[in-house]
């Protein structure tokens, strides 16, 4: 496949290359490996930096100094100084190589209280303003520099092609052209313009194009899923942002969690090395994502030479036991499992980035120009740019009888749960990873949507009444209803379809109530993706998508209200960069599709001067959910649609049972006879490590109804050899997302006793954590199910299972029953 030859603004410098040679000639293998290991701040001390020659560190979403989410810049700087000092300590005769600290500032510096938060990328896409993107990058770099950090894991240059994906809002557009326009500009904003004095100066940060590649192209929009697309589509759609980012001089690229054609990106040599580094000529570093190397076939989080050999340069390893990975990697280089040439190339790339960023001469983080200047966090000039971004991002979908813009002198009712809700307004990656549970105390200086409206109306001596439920004593002239998605991030945001709030009609009932009272209704819709809202559109006179606007909610009021002297203050200039669905099951939906038939097409958006003939009679026929049956059959003589049998072994090897036998590193599964031919499956664990057999679907299954119906997970089983270790039954929602119940005792008790039936009450499956430290409730887990039944063992076990089902009213008062 032919990939383009890129025009690199940043070229290799012979002076820097000679300096790299000098440094590497003095470095031991241990020192080199230190540059390839990136722990998390919760598990890294300054002494560790010195002892293990650590080259970089990160703080994850919501990870803050001393566990205090209200930490000030001085708190960040104290840790940054300690790390930097330790990295430059040559008292042990080792080479001084400055550490760099990376963070996720994906819509502003979301980890520090008081920073400016911009609209998420989907909203920025709607502005169609590349120069604004550059300015946002510049401001983000400035506010990062206040904390002394060096490196931003941004921009996300995903081209989201299925809006069910929980990271759709991190994508600028479904169209690669806009993503390409934006990516290079954001890199210039963060790093400075290549070949200028400002490039990677003391007021700029290293940027990262992520997540390489096709994170937005997974089957059914499953986060961390499999991209089953051609290389041509990979190049022409999903690589677009990387082209402009690399041409602008981006210094790092982050590998993605997803697979391409079944092979995990962290171990994909063809794409990481042959394409990215060789064909595209990228000479910066490739960093992993949050233990992502641990999913590569043959790897664990603490042992993964395959990722380095594939082209990964830095392990991102937030695991507390990261020193084991360090030691294993040292040994693998010394033994030749990782060729020294590959290790040297990885270290050379890391040093090249550090030298380009001039980290040796930048000195202690606290001595840099913007360090500790709290007044720059959320500075008025920064907030004004964010407010501009909010204004330009608003997309007007409906404006019956030119209701908008409103007179600010009117009597206005404000309803809905989004009006005075900073958490909803800012979305994910805001103070904490998921963006949930935040209050105005976490956003000093921010302006809620309500506050912005109140200020605009007060100026014209109008009246504002806040009533979330829409009740009123005096009939208003107009009602503004602000509602939409609650905050989420990554897998937590995956959905089964694009129906807005399936089963929850509170917002719709509010709109209909107001309309029935003959009150003109303006809907302001907070969302991180296009959603089917036909019913809400019908119940509204005007409908504007305001995305997730960030901290500067006043930007919305700037647009929806006239000036006190009745003139348009700002027109609606936002245009859709994602196609809007006509049906709740209409996904994927992308401009250029052969059968393209959206409700609102790509680039749609009304201006105030446009005549709107949009009807109030959109089809309100949503998804016809079948009432859940009393028994959900999962395996009955064969896997029941939509489930298939998959195996996963200790080496992250995976197989699907398509015939009558499948094998992975830890177990073998075969089709066997119980009553009729091949109506059961034998699972034989070999004792070489943990493995599982699961009944798995390609799309998420919403099984929460069973959770509330005194249900049990039931299966027939015959145990021929007892578990030597522990054995569990699991319900899973994706990689590192599951809840399980231990069955070791029950399985041991029925060895050689023929067929038995095990009933596990669903209420026994506990809330569960993920590899990001997020707690998922039972309710959340059972709304995101991919594997409703898995058997897991970490040692030898031999059993046969059949007739797997979930049955309502079969619960046994919170117990596991064997009959």
């Amino acid at each position: 496949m032919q990939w383009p030859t890129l025009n690199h603004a940043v070229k290799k410098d012979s002076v820097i290359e000679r300096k790299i040679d000098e440094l590497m000639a003095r470095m031991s293998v241990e020192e080199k490996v230190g540059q390839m290991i990136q722990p998390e701040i919760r598990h890294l001390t300054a002494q560790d930096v010195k002892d293990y020659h650590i080259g970089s560190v990160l703080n994850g979403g919501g990870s803050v100094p001393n566990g205090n989410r209200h930490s000030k810049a001085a708190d960040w700087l104290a840790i940054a100084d300690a790390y930097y000092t330790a990295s430059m300590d040559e008292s042990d005769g080792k080479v001084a190589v400055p550490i760099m600290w990376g963070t996720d500032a994906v819509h502003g510096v979301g980890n520090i209280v008081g920073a400016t938060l911009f609209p998420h990328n989907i909203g920025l896409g709607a502005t169609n303003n590349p120069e604004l993107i550059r300015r946002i990058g510049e401001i983000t770099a400035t506010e990062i520099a206040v904390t002394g950090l060096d490196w931003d894991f941004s921009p996300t240059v995903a081209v989201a092609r299925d809006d069910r994906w929980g990271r759709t809002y991190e994508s600028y557009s479904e169209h690669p052209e806009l993503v390409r326009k934006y990516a290079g500009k954001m890199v210039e904003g963060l790093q400075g313009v290549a070949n200028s004095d400002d490039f990677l100066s003391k007021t700029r940060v290293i940027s990262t194009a992520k997540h390489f590649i096709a994170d937005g192209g997974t089957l059914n929009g499953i986060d961390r899923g499999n991209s089953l697309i051609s290389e041509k589509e990979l190049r022409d759609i999903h690589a677009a942002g990387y082209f402009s980012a690399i041409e602008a001089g981006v210094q790092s690229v982050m590998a993605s969690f997803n697979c391409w054609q079944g092979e995990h990106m962290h171990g994909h040599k063809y794409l990481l090395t042959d394409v990215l580094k060789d064909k595209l000529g990228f000479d910066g570093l490739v960093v992993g994502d949050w233990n992502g190397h641990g999913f590569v076939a043959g790897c664990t989080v603490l042992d993964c030479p395959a990722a380095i050999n594939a082209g990964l340069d830095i392990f991102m390893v937030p695991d507390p036991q990261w020193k084991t990975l360090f030691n294993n990697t040292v040994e693998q280089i010394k033994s030749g499992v990782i060729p020294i040439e590959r290790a040297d190339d990885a270290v050379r790339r890391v040093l090249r980035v550090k030298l380009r960023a001039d980290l040796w001469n930048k000195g202690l983080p606290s001595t840099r120009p913007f360090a500790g200047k709290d007044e720059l966090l959320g500075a008025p000039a920064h907030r004004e740019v964010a407010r501009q971004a909010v204004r330009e991002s608003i997309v007007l979908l409906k404006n019956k009888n030119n209701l908008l813009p409103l007179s600010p002198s009117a009597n206005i009712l404000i309803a809905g749960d989004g009006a005075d809700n900073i958490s909803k307004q800012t979305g994910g990656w805001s103070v904490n990873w998921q963006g949930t549970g935040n209050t105005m105390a976490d956003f000093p200086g921010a302006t809620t949507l309500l506050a912005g409206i109140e200020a605009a109306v007060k100026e014209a001596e109008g009246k504002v009444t806040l009533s979330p439920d829409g009740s009123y004593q005096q009939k208003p002239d107009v009602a503004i209803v602000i509602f939409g998605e609650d905050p989420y991030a990554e897998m937590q945001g995956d959905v089964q379809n694009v129906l807005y709030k399936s089963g929850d009609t509170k917002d719709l009932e509010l709109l209909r109530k107001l309309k029935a009272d003959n009150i003109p209704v303006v809907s302001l819709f907070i969302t991180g993706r296009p959603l089917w809202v036909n019913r809400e559109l019908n119940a509204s006179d005007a409908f504007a998508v305001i995305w997730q606007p960030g901290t500067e909610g006043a930007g919305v009021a700037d647009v929806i209200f006239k000036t006190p002297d009745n003139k348009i203050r700002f027109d609606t200039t936002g245009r859709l960069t994602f196609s809007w669905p006509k049906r709740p099951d209409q996904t994927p939906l992308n401009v250029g599709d052969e059968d393209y038939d959206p409700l609102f097409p790509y680039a749609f958006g009304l201006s105030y001067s446009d005549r709107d003939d949009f009807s109030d009679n959109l089809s309100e026929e949503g998804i016809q959910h079948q009432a859940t049956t009393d028994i959900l059959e999962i395996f009955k003589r064969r896997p029941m649609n939509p489930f298939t049998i998959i195996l996963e072994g200790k080496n992250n090897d995976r197989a699907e049972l398509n015939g009558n036998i499948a094998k992975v590193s830890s177990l073998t599964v075969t089709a066997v006879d119980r009553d009729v031919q091949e109506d059961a499956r034998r699972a034989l664990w070999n004792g070489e490590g943990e493995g599982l057999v699961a009944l798995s679907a390609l799309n998420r299954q919403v099984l929460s109804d069973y959770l509330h119906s005194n249900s049990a997970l039931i299966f027939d089983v015959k145990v021929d050899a007892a578990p030597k270790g522990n054995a569990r039954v699991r319900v899973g929602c994706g990689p590192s997302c599951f809840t399980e119940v231990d069955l070791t005792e029950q399985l041991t008790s029925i060895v050689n006793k023929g067929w038995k039936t095990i009933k596990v009450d669903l209420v026994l499956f506990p809330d569960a954590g993920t590899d990001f430290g997020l707690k998922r409730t039972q309710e959340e887990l059972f709304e995101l199910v991919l594997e409703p039944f898995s058997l897991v063992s970490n040692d030898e076990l031999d059993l046969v299972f059949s007739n797997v089902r979930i049955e309502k009213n079969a619960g046994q008062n919170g117990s596991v029953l064997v009959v």
Side-chain angles (χ1 to χ4, degrees):
M1 171 66 72
Q2 183 69 36
W3 287 72
T5 300
L6 301 181
N7 180 23
H8 296 255
V10 178
K11 296 178 171 58
K12 286 184 181 177
D13 183 319
S14 60
V15 174
I16 287 177
E17 296 306 308
R18 284 196 298 272
K19 179 63 176 177
I20 295 171
D21 291 338
E22 294 169 6
L23 290 168
M24 290 186 63
R26 297 161 49 205
M27 294 172 73
S28 65
V29 170
E30 287 79 5
E31 290 173 272
K32 292 176 180 178
V33 171
Q35 297 300 308
M36 299 161 64
I37 300 286
Q38 184 180 95
E40 214 268 349
I41 61 170
R42 289 171 293 183
H43 310 302
L44 185 72
T45 66
Q47 190 63 45
D48 289 333
V49 173
K50 182 177 186 300
D51 293 344
Y52 291 87
H53 328 291
I54 296 301
S56 63
V57 63
L58 84 146
N59 63 286
S63 180
V64 292
N66 310 310
N68 178 13
R69 67 193 289 172
H70 291 265
S71 293
K72 300 295 185 183
D75 301 310
W76 293 83
L77 287 163
I79 298 176
D81 278 359
Y83 286 158
Y84 186 91
T85 300
S87 71
M88 299 300 285
D89 186 344
E90 297 178 289
S91 63
D92 56 1
K94 303 300 182 182
V95 179
V97 180
I99 193 171
M100 53 187 178
W101 184 338
T103 193
D104 285 287
V106 296
H107 69 133
V109 191
N111 275 313
I112 188 163
V113 167
T116 309
L117 294 188
F118 300 89
H120 275 291
N121 285 356
I122 192 169
L124 296 181
T127 70
N128 197 22
N129 188 342
E131 184 55 31
L132 175 63
I133 300 307
R134 187 201 62 76
R135 181 71 180 116
I136 288 171
E138 189 176 66
I139 291 168
T140 301
T142 295
E143 298 200 9
I144 291 174
V146 171
T147 66
L149 277 58
D150 316 277
W151 185 3
D152 185 12
F153 301 140
S154 172
T156 299
V157 297
V159 182
R161 303 288 284 181
D162 192 320
D163 301 335
R164 291 172 290 183
W165 186 36
R167 305 189 79 155
T168 296
Y169 67 80
E170 294 187 55
S171 174
Y172 296 120
S173 176
E174 71 188 35
H175 198 297
E177 181 182 357
L178 185 71
V179 177
R180 184 166 186 168
K181 283 182 181 178
Y182 273 23
K185 287 295 184 181
M186 182 59 83
V187 169
E188 288 182 354
L190 290 165
Q191 294 189 165
V193 176
N195 302 312
S196 71
D197 291 341
D198 192 36
F199 182 66
L200 291 175
S201 68
K202 291 183 178 183
T203 60
R204 294 284 161 257
V205 294
I206 298 160
S207 69
T208 308
K210 68 179 187 182
H211 308 84
F212 192 80
I213 187 174
D215 49 345
T218 60
L219 182 66
N220 294 326
I222 301 290
D223 190 45
R224 308 191 190 185
N226 194 6
S227 299
L228 298 173
I229 58 177
S230 68
E231 187 173 351
K232 182 178 186 300
E233 189 173 348
L234 200 71
R235 179 194 66 192
D236 295 347
I237 294 177
H238 297 282
Y242 297 97
F243 296 158
S244 64
I246 292 170
E247 287 183 324
V250 71
Q251 290 299 291
S252 67
V253 168
M254 183 180 289
S256 185
F257 273 113
N258 65 279
C259 303
W260 180 53
Q261 301 292 353
E263 186 174 353
H264 281 280
M265 284 306 312
H266 280 69
H268 209 300
K269 184 177 185 297
Y270 173 69
L271 290 175
L272 292 182
T273 298
D274 298 354
V275 171
L276 177 62
K277 294 181 175 180
D278 295 344
K279 294 184 179 183
L280 299 182
F282 175 65
D283 66 3
L285 66 87
V286 177
V287 63
D289 197 355
W290 199 273
N291 286 337
H293 57 278
F295 295 101
V296 174
C299 289
T300 68
V301 167
L302 304 179
D303 186 355
C304 194
I308 298 298
N309 287 338
L312 196 72
D313 300 316
I314 296 178
F315 289 115
M316 183 186 288
V317 55
D319 192 283
Q321 305 302 316
W322 59 265
K323 293 172 187 175
T324 301
L325 178 64
F326 175 94
N327 292 328
N328 285 336
T329 306
V330 168
E331 177 56 34
Q332 288 153 2
I333 293 172
K334 289 182 175 180
S335 68
V337 172
I338 298 173
I340 188 61
E341 294 82 8
R342 170 75 272 270
D344 282 350
D345 174 65
V347 177
R348 173 173 287 274
R349 289 170 176 274
V350 174
L351 296 178
R352 181 181 296 128
V353 171
K354 291 183 176 186
L355 284 163
R356 285 173 173 169
D358 200 24
L359 293 184
W360 278 263
N361 295 319
K362 282 183 178 175
L364 278 174
S366 63
T367 66
R368 299 171 191 173
F370 292 160
K373 294 190 175 182
D374 288 316
E375 66 273 16
L376 291 175
L377 295 172
H382 298 176
R383 293 188 184 278
E384 181 50 46
V385 173
R387 186 168 175 169
Q388 174 192 348
V390 174
R391 288 195 298 264
E392 295 184 15
S393 72
I394 297 169
V395 179
L396 184 60
L397 298 183
K398 181 178 181 180
N399 196 20
K400 187 177 181 180
N401 299 322
N402 294 101
L403 177 59
L404 289 176
L406 301 172
S407 167
S409 61
N411 176 16
I412 298 166
L413 178 70
I414 308 296
D417 68 353
D420 197 26
N421 188 332
I422 194 68
S423 188
K424 200 177 189 98
Q425 179 177 318
T426 50
W429 296 104
S430 302
V431 179
N432 61 65
W433 176 38
Q434 292 293 315
T436 54
N438 294 324
T439 68
M440 282 300 289
D442 300 308
F443 298 94
T447 305
T448 63
L449 297 164
L450 173 65
I453 291 170
E454 288 177 330
V457 173
K458 181 179 179 181
E459 183 184 8
E461 299 183 350
K463 180 182 178 182
V464 171
T465 302
L466 174 64
S467 176
D469 65 0
S471 60
Y472 57 87
Q473 293 182 337
Q474 179 187 1
K475 186 176 179 180
D477 297 324
V478 65
I480 300 174
V481 183
I482 307 176
F483 64 99
E485 288 193 300
D486 295 318
Y488 55 82
E490 301 194 36
M491 188 190 306
Q492 186 82 356
D494 283 4
V495 292
Q496 190 182 35
N497 52 63
V498 290
L499 173 63
Y500 171 60
K501 286 195 173 179
S502 176
D504 182 353
T505 60
K506 173 175 59 70
D507 297 325
L508 178 60
E509 290 166 1
L510 172 59
L511 294 171
R512 286 175 171 170
K513 170 186 174 294
L514 293 167
K515 188 166 187 177
D517 291 347
N518 293 314
I519 299 170
V521 175
V522 175
S523 286
L524 301 180
F525 189 48
I526 298 171
T527 185
R529 65 183 123 213
L531 290 168
W532 186 76
V533 286
N534 284 19
R535 294 173 292 193
E536 291 79 7
L537 280 160
N538 284 343
S540 306
D541 296 286
F543 194 103
V545 181
I546 62 173
W547 311 108
Q548 298 150 318
T551 54
E552 305 315 302
V556 174
D558 288 343
V559 174
I560 67 170
F561 286 102
K562 298 175 184 176
T563 62
D565 57 355
N566 210 36
K567 295 179 180 177
I568 292 175
R569 193 187 302 266
F570 292 98
D571 203 351
T572 47
T573 58
R575 299 295 181 260
L576 293 177
T577 56
F578 285 83
S579 305
W580 204 273
K582 184 178 286 186
R583 305 185 316 274
D585 61 350
Q586 194 179 16
T587 184
L589 173 65
N590 297 292
V591 63
D593 289 349
E594 186 175 341
D595 56 349
Y596 187 62
D597 184 29
L599 180 65
F600 299 109
Y602 185 90
F604 178 84
L606 296 171
S607 298
Y608 284 144
S609 60
D610 291 334
R611 178 178 173 178
D612 181 14
D613 296 321
F614 200 67
S615 78
D616 294 336
N617 299 310
L618 295 174
S619 170
E620 296 193 359
E621 184 178 348
I623 291 177
Q624 298 301 311
H625 290 292
Q626 287 185 326
T628 54
T629 58
D630 288 342
I631 300 176
L632 174 65
E633 302 283 6
I634 301 171
F635 181 96
K636 188 175 183 180
R637 298 185 178 176
R638 58 180 174 79
M640 305 303 289
N641 187 50
F643 304 107
T644 59
I645 292 180
I646 58 137
L647 293 70
E648 291 183 4
K650 68 180 179 67
N651 293 333
N652 283 324
D653 45 337
R654 183 182 174 100
E656 183 174 335
L657 182 63
N658 290 318
N660 55 19
I661 186 169
K663 184 176 182 180
V664 292
S665 54
S666 304
L667 75 156
T668 302
V669 176
T670 52
V672 297
D673 302 345
R674 178 186 182 185
D675 298 319
V676 298
Q677 184 176 354
E678 297 188 352
D679 63 342
R681 300 294 183 267
R682 180 190 181 197
L684 176 63
W685 282 263
N686 58 24
E688 295 183 7
E690 184 166 286
L692 68 80
V693 55
L695 283 146
S696 179
L698 292 174
N699 201 1
R700 298 197 180 279
Q701 309 297 306
V702 179
L703 303 183
S704 50
D705 185 44
Y706 290 97
L707 188 62
H708 303 305
S709 303
N710 189 32
S711 303
L713 175 59
I714 304 173
F715 62 101
D716 298 344
V717 65
K718 181 168 70 76
V719 182
D720 295 322
K724 283 193 173 182
N726 62 65
R728 293 97 68 198
V729 62
R730 175 182 292 180
V731 176
C733 51
S736 302
C737 176
F738 56 83
T739 179
E740 58 188 14
V741 173
D742 193 289
L743 292 183
T744 308
E745 180 181 340
Q746 289 81 5
L747 295 176
T748 301
S749 71
I750 58 175
V751 175
N752 296 322
K753 292 185 179 180
W755 283 97
K756 298 292 182 181
T757 299
I758 294 181
K759 299 182 178 182
V760 184
D761 282 18
L762 293 191
V763 295
L764 290 176
F765 288 96
D767 296 349
T770 71
D771 56 352
F772 286 89
L774 173 72
K775 274 290 187 182
R776 291 191 188 278
T777 65
Q778 275 188 334
E779 185 77 24
E780 291 167 340
L781 285 159
F782 278 85
E783 288 180 352
L784 295 167
V785 173
L786 289 171
E787 297 94 22
F789 173 80
S790 304
L791 291 172
V792 189
S793 180
N794 65 354
D795 208 331
E796 293 181 21
L797 171 62
D798 187 359
L799 60 75
V800 185
F801 67 86
S802 184
N803 292 342
V804 182
R805 66 269 191 200
I806 296 177
E807 187 171 335
K808 292 182 179 178
N809 301 312
Q812 302 293 320
N813 299 313
S815 65
V816 178
L817 185 66
V818 181
V819 295

